[in-house]
Amino acid sequence: MKYDLIIIGAGPAGVSSALYATSRGLKTLVLEQDENAGGTLKKVSNITHFTGFMTGETGSVFSKTLDEQLKQCGAKVLQKKVTAASLKGEDKEIICNEEKFLSKAVIIAAGTSQNTPDFEILEELKNKHLHNDARKYYKDYENVIVIGGSDGAAKEALFLSQNNKHVDLIIREEKLGAVPEFSQPILNSNNINIHTNSVISKVSGRKNIEEIKIKNTLTSEEEILNFNNCGIFYYIGSKPNTEVFKEVELNKGYITVDEKMKTNINGVYAVGDIRVKEVRQISTAVSDGALAAIDASKYINAKK
Ligand SMILES: Cc1cc2nc3c(=O)[nH]c(=O)nc-3n(C[C@H](O)[C@H](O)[C@H](O)COP(=O)(O)OP(=O)(O)OC[C@H]3O[C@@H](n4cnc5c(N)ncnc54)[C@H](O)[C@@H]3O)c2cc1C
């Protein structure tokens, strides 16, 4: 069967694309590698800066809403990982291992994957005590290390510091770069200790993390922190999931688009965090999805 439109990824950008595409009567297939829609936000403690949502809305509740919306909108949704794509022809071919799906147009909404830290740590400790899902694991630890200085890292550090839990925040930069909404309460906090110009060089312990070596990147001096029960949470940037899209034009790994989200290939669009853009937020992701699906609908109807 040939679809009008295939959407790859069901984060906010992909779900928004699906809502606008189905409302325009497009026969739409959404391919999402995870069991549910939601993308990156599934692991975020609280959703902030999205109009219409009150402070305290959790990432997991927000993702469930996206999942429901997607199920209700009339698109066919399959849990499949896209492994290859042939996009240049009139018929777009999307490959998921042994299976092939065809469509007239494609929206790439595959987002980004979080970078993982590269310091020395035993595999067992890494698997048990290195996380980027604060809400799921924060209760497990007396002490918490957060790595990263972005808005996301700062927000999660604040979340983890609740109930007076001690947080060491490790940042490479010389000062915390997060927006004042997050940086001010961190600077005023008694239980968040910021280590600037710093990286973790080694984590050791047997079953639990017992010792963390922090290196000052300016002086090369090392500081040692000792713990009984410590978890490390990392938010150190991300990379775009573009490796399977060999034909689209990239800039520093991100997909180049015009103002209608069109890539260099006719009938192929890219939306959300995977595309070249200044601001990577839910608001810009859902806006991209709307613009792409509306233009894709015109493109498909012109071919009928
Ligand atoms: C810690 C943190 C906190 C944040 N907090 C906020 C916030 O409060 N407010 C806000 O506005 N923004 C926030 N953001 C940013 C926000 O998460 C992103 O801007 C948004 O998720 C981008 O949506 P997306 O749909 O482009 O990508 P994603 O959310 O990354 O979704 C991409 C989807 O594509 C799927 N996928 C990837 N590859 C494939 C493949 N090959 N085949 C099939 N499926 C695939 C993935 O499984 C995923 O479901 C935060 C980000 C982080 C890291």
Side-chain angles (χ1 to χ4, degrees):
M1 185 214 277
K2 185 162 144 190
Y3 291 89
D4 288 327
L5 178 68
I6 294 179
I7 298 167
I8 302 165
V15 173
S16 169
S17 305
L19 298 181
Y20 280 85
T22 50
S23 73
R24 278 154 180 76
L26 299 187
K27 201 193 305 167
T28 304
L29 171 66
V30 179
L31 298 169
E32 165 56 52
Q33 63 188 357
D34 287 348
E35 204 179 334
N36 303 109
T40 301
L41 294 159
K42 273 183 249 175
K43 293 184 178 173
V44 169
S45 61
N46 297 301
I47 302 295
T48 44
H49 316 131
F50 190 45
T51 314
F53 278 81
M54 303 304 287
T55 309
E57 172 86 357
T58 68
S60 70
V61 168
F62 183 78
S63 300
K64 280 187 189 127
T65 308
L66 285 184
D67 198 56
E68 268 312 303
Q69 264 190 314
L70 181 61
K71 281 181 183 140
Q72 285 174 13
C73 80
K76 186 169 176 67
V77 184
L78 295 176
Q79 187 188 353
K80 303 269 177 204
K81 182 179 169 75
V82 172
T83 50
S86 177
L87 300 170
K88 284 206 164 141
E90 278 290 296
D91 282 357
K92 315 296 178 195
E93 297 181 4
I94 304 298
I95 317 291
C96 302
N97 295 314
E98 309 293 291
E99 278 177 280
K100 182 158 81 179
F101 300 93
L102 295 180
S103 64
K104 296 174 191 164
V106 169
I107 297 180
I108 303 170
T112 58
S113 295
Q114 301 298 303
N115 295 329
T116 46
D118 59 359
F119 47 71
E120 197 183 326
I121 180 169
L122 283 177
E123 204 58 27
E124 191 191 339
L125 288 181
K126 188 176 176 177
N127 294 339
K128 266 175 80 180
H129 301 300
L130 203 59
H131 311 288
N132 67 353
D133 190 339
R135 193 171 279 280
K136 188 164 173 191
Y137 294 105
Y138 80 99
K139 287 197 183 118
D140 295 356
Y141 300 105
E142 280 164 25
N143 292 88
V144 164
I145 302 279
V146 175
I147 319 172
S150 65
D151 290 351
K155 181 168 67 173
E156 299 306 312
L158 280 172
F159 172 78
L160 287 159
S161 73
Q162 64 190 306
N163 302 328
N164 282 328
K165 201 182 290 264
H166 184 81
V167 175
D168 285 287
L169 177 60
I170 318 278
I171 60 174
R172 264 181 195 278
E173 297 75 22
E174 62 182 356
K175 64 178 192 172
L176 191 56
V179 292
E181 179 185 353
F182 305 132
S183 60
Q184 272 313 320
I186 288 181
L187 294 171
N188 295 337
S189 165
N190 294 324
N191 56 318
I192 304 180
N193 188 15
I194 309 177
H195 304 255
T196 54
N197 296 312
S198 295
V199 291
I200 293 180
S201 54
K202 188 173 178 188
V203 174
S204 42
R206 276 156 293 175
K207 286 209 157 67
N208 291 327
I209 290 173
E210 290 162 16
E211 187 181 285
I212 296 186
K213 263 191 195 150
I214 300 172
K215 187 175 157 192
N216 185 300
T217 53
L218 298 180
T219 62
S220 291
E221 274 173 31
E222 283 193 327
E223 183 185 355
I224 293 181
L225 304 178
N226 290 106
F227 301 102
N228 291 325
N229 179 20
C230 170
I232 301 178
F233 294 79
Y234 60 93
Y235 305 94
I236 50 172
S238 56
K239 53 181 175 313
N241 294 321
T242 44
E243 60 284 355
V244 297
F245 308 109
K246 308 277 185 218
E247 298 154 307
V248 290
E249 188 181 286
L250 303 180
N251 181 351
K252 295 185 181 144
Y254 292 88
I255 302 176
T256 313
V257 293
D258 68 8
E259 73 281 0
K260 290 179 177 162
M261 307 299 128
K262 290 178 184 174
T263 68
N264 58 313
I265 304 172
N266 268 344
V268 179
Y269 301 77
V271 296
D273 282 10
I274 199 167
R275 77 166 180 93
V276 173
K277 57 159 67 172
E278 281 285 315
V279 179
R280 292 196 167 82
Q281 288 281 282
I282 307 168
S283 52
T284 59
V286 298
S287 164
D288 289 357
L291 293 170
I294 290 168
D295 200 74
S297 154
K298 289 180 191 156
Y299 170 84
I300 290 159
N301 287 331
K303 293 200 166 295
K304 280 182 180 163

